[in-house]
């Protein structure tokens, strides 16, 4: 994966270059696609990152996310990542908000997608080196856990929950 070439963009999300993933500098801006998944019971699917991940190991975060490689659009990336990370294919995804995260350790744009999926946890096929587990969370349980043990979540999870609270 570190030999993968990723897209670099400017402050307006225009492609300016590409670089090997492991050669990206903190000041470089890259693209990320992310998927917010709910089910018909209004539960939210979160994934726990693998313990061996370089960034944010063992933290709960949105169900699917990935950096865009040079040959990918936001859309093609999220479909690829959804299949690789949690084993879902042929699902209708809704393009949602695009945000910039220039205050994070690494600078990036995140193009969000949303989907409603009614699957049991046992139906997801997890990518071993990316995802430790997935879990459905009720909104109230997620809010309570974010308040009591925020350290088990990606730091921006409260913001994401607020962004998608009405879905």
């Amino acid at each position: 994966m570190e030999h993968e070439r990723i897209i670099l963009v400017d402050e307006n999300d225009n492609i300016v270059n590409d670089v090997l993933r492991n050669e990206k500098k903190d000041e470089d801006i890259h693209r990320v696609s992310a998927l917010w998944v709910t089910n018909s019971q209004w539960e939210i699917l979160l994934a726990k990152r693998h313990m061996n991940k370089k960034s944010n190991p063992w933290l709960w975060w949105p169900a699917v996310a990935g950096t865009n490689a040079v040959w990918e659009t936001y859309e093609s990336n999220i479909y690829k990542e959804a299949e690789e990370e949690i084993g879902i294919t042929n699902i209708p995804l809704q393009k949602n908000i695009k945000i910039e995260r220039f205050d994070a350790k690494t600078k990036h744009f995140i193009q969000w997608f949303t989907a409603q999926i009614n699957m049991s946890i046992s139906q997801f096929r997890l990518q071993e080196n990316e995802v430790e587990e997935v879990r459905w969370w009720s909104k109230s349980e997620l809010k309570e856990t974010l308040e009591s043990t925020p350290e088990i979540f990606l730091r921006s999870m409260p913001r994401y929950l607020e962004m998608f609270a009405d879905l």
Side-chain angles (χ1 to χ4, degrees), residues 58-77:
W58 267 16
L59 295 183
W60 289 99
W61 78 342
V64 176
T67 300
N68 293 48
V70 293
W71 49 271
E72 294 177 315
T73 64
Y74 284 114
E75 290 84 359
S76 67
N77 175 262

Side-chain angles (χ1 to χ4, degrees), residues 12 14 26 34 47 63 70 75 90 92 111 134:
N12 297 310
N14 297 307
D26 286 346
V70 293
E75 290 84 359
N90 301 319
Q111 175 62 63
V134 293

Side-chain angles (χ1 to χ4, degrees), residues 65-136:
T67 300
N68 293 48
V70 293
W71 49 271
E72 294 177 315
T73 64
Y74 284 114
E75 290 84 359
S76 67
N77 175 262
I78 200 60
Y79 279 106
K80 177 195 80 172
E81 295 290 345
E83 182 174 3
E84 285 179 357
E85 292 182 9
I86 61 174
I88 56 174
T89 59
N90 301 319
I91 56 162
L93 301 180
Q94 186 75 19
K95 192 173 186 176
N96 206 289
I97 189 170
K98 180 167 47 169
I99 62 173
E100 51 187 59
R101 289 294 317 270
F102 295 168
D103 60 334
K105 180 182 176 190
T106 62
K107 299 176 181 181
H108 53 280
F109 283 93
I110 305 173
Q111 175 62 63
W112 281 95
F113 296 84
T114 56
Q116 187 176 77
I117 302 170
N118 289 306
M119 293 173 60
S120 70
I121 292 300
S122 63
Q123 291 177 287
F124 292 102
R125 289 176 290 118
L126 307 184
Q127 186 178 15
E128 285 183 25
N129 62 342
E130 293 282 332
V131 181
E132 288 283 336
E133 66 179 294
V134 293
R135 178 177 164 199
W136 289 110

Side-chain angles (χ1 to χ4, degrees), residues 11-26:
E11 301 81 20
N12 297 310
D13 198 20
N14 297 307
I15 297 173
V16 294
N17 205 352
D18 61 77
V19 66
L20 288 172
R21 180 186 291 265
N22 64 344
E23 293 177 0
K24 189 185 95 40
K25 300 177 186 93
D26 286 346

